[in-house]
Amino acid sequence: MKGMALSQRFYREWGEPMIEQLFSGEREHLAAGLVGEGSICFGYDDEISRDHDWGPAFCLWLDRDTYSRIGKDLSRAYRDLPGQFEGHSVLRMDAPPLQRVGVFEISGFYQRFTGLDHPPRSHSEWRRIPETYLSVATNGRVFDDPAGDFTRYRDHLLNYYPEDIRRKKIAARCMSVGQAGQYNYERSLRRGETVAAQLARSRFLEATASLVYLLNRKYTPFYKWLHKGLRELPLGGGEIAGLLERLCGSPDRKDIPVIEEICSILLGEMRSQFLTDAPGDFLFTHGPAVQQGIVDPAIRCLPVTED
């Protein structure tokens, strides 16, 4: 059983009738769904997830005026809902400072993740938002949104980074993938520096996964879900996810052909998206080429290794 489906049933059977009974005049101003932190919102919950912070619950999102009118009363009504549903305890993380479910003002909900009280507008605003927070702010499911205010904000984020920001991040990942995986991993093994090799390989794994997300125009999630989400990405995700699994034993020179195979796949996709026309297969040398395609001079002049 997945928590998202359970939560949607809880909303339909208890949340929606509560709204109709007590707040029918505000119904058009209320959006409902489940978005945010936790494995349920990503659809990655399983039996192990149920030992903490798991259970049926939902969010109610209100515009500023509606929140000022009924926010407190709606929160009280939410907390009065049953504590059990279909044999499962209802998730009660509905109060600050760790609030994940319950009643939110729309801009305040997004501000928790973006640091902004409005959708990001400029390149500088986009760059300041941690990518994992964007992943959290755009996951989950919207059950109802009659006015569309929550969905419009959500869609602005789901439309993904401006292309200059995406290119900047891709350029930086190329540098990390090339330096850690194609260069320093093999050199560390030759020196017998197994800890350094392990660190280089770890950097390669994370940078590679991040680069695949960027090529798929999908925000990179928290590291715990990085590989699980990778399998779902259409552009090289499943193939590279399998290859990354092969790199998770003890450091060994047998890893080097696997690393080169991964880099070849990445480079092929980058070329198919016309991100680089530089020669060779060392990704480190493709970072500057990707960055040269950035239009905004303020972003193009930044260090290539900085995302």
Side-chain angles (χ1 to χ4, degrees):
M1 178 188 299
K2 287 292 188 179
M4 182 62 69
L6 181 68
S7 294
Q8 187 163 3
R9 291 197 300 274
F10 179 55
Y11 167 71
R12 294 296 179 201
E13 293 186 30
W14 287 100
E16 196 170 23
M18 175 269 288
I19 293 169
E20 291 295 339
Q21 180 181 353
L22 302 177
F23 304 96
S24 58
E26 304 287 357
R27 185 71 185 87
E28 294 301 308
H29 301 288
L30 303 182
L34 188 57
V35 174
E37 298 161 295
S39 58
I40 292 176
C41 295
F42 283 101
Y44 297 154
D45 53 307
D46 53 22
E47 292 291 333
I48 296 174
S49 306
R50 300 183 188 183
D51 64 351
H52 75 291
D53 299 344
W54 190 93
F58 55 87
C59 302
L60 296 171
W61 299 289
L62 292 63
D63 63 69
R64 190 165 298 164
D65 290 341
T66 306
Y67 187 85
S68 66
R69 288 196 306 273
I70 68 167
K72 290 182 180 179
D73 292 337
L74 185 59
S75 293
R76 280 193 290 269
Y78 181 94
R79 293 187 185 116
D80 286 340
L81 294 175
Q84 293 281 322
F85 179 72
E86 295 186 6
H88 300 281
S89 296
V90 170
L91 183 62
R92 286 304 190 190
M93 299 184 72
D94 58 348
L98 300 175
Q99 184 177 5
R100 290 189 181 182
V101 297
V103 180
F104 302 88
E105 190 268 319
I106 293 172
S107 63
F109 176 83
Y110 281 111
Q111 189 169 12
R112 296 168 58 211
F113 305 116
T114 67
L116 303 168
D117 63 0
H118 57 271
R121 299 165 183 152
S122 65
H123 286 163
S124 61
E125 286 183 342
W126 277 104
R127 289 190 71 228
R128 285 199 297 269
I129 304 172
E131 189 172 352
T132 56
Y133 289 1
L134 289 168
S135 177
V136 166
T138 55
N139 66 13
R141 187 183 302 170
V142 178
F143 306 153
D144 288 320
D145 188 6
D149 294 337
F150 182 84
T151 299
R152 277 188 288 274
Y153 203 132
R154 177 180 171 88
D155 286 347
H156 181 88
L157 299 178
L158 283 170
N159 285 337
Y160 206 60
Y161 289 121
E163 182 61 11
D164 277 0
I165 300 300
R166 187 177 83 107
R167 276 184 170 266
K168 185 71 199 74
K169 289 178 174 291
I170 289 173
R173 296 300 174 274
C174 285
M175 306 299 280
S176 295
V177 169
Q179 185 179 58
Q182 293 177 286
Y183 184 73
N184 280 326
Y185 182 63
E186 189 268 343
R187 292 169 71 85
S188 297
L189 287 174
R190 282 166 52 197
R191 292 188 172 108
E193 295 282 353
T194 55
V195 173
Q198 189 74 280
L199 291 170
R201 187 171 61 175
S202 295
R203 281 179 173 266
F204 173 79
L205 291 170
E206 188 167 10
T208 294
S210 175
L211 181 50
V212 177
Y213 278 89
L214 286 160
L215 293 173
N216 279 271
R217 291 177 170 84
K218 182 83 171 175
Y219 297 120
T220 304
F222 180 59
Y223 73 87
K224 183 168 67 170
W225 307 123
L226 196 65
H227 184 257
K228 193 175 186 72
L230 195 65
R231 299 190 193 105
E232 303 169 357
L233 301 179
L235 302 180
E239 185 177 8
I240 288 180
L243 290 169
L244 292 181
E245 288 180 2
R246 291 171 57 186
L247 294 178
C248 288
S250 299
D252 194 288
R253 290 183 63 84
K254 294 194 297 290
D255 293 341
I256 294 169
V258 180
I259 288 172
E260 291 300 335
E261 183 178 354
I262 289 169
C263 290
S264 177
I265 296 168
L266 292 171
L267 188 54
E269 183 56 40
M270 288 166 57
R271 284 179 168 143
S272 74
Q273 294 186 28
F274 303 103
L275 292 165
T276 177
D277 58 1
D281 55 6
F282 184 28
L283 260 69
F284 190 86
T285 64
H286 288 270
V290 173
Q291 184 141 322
Q292 283 305 303
I294 293 172
V295 176
D296 185 345
I299 302 297
R300 190 173 61 247
C301 72
L302 293 169
V304 184
T305 54
E306 181 181 335
D307 68 14

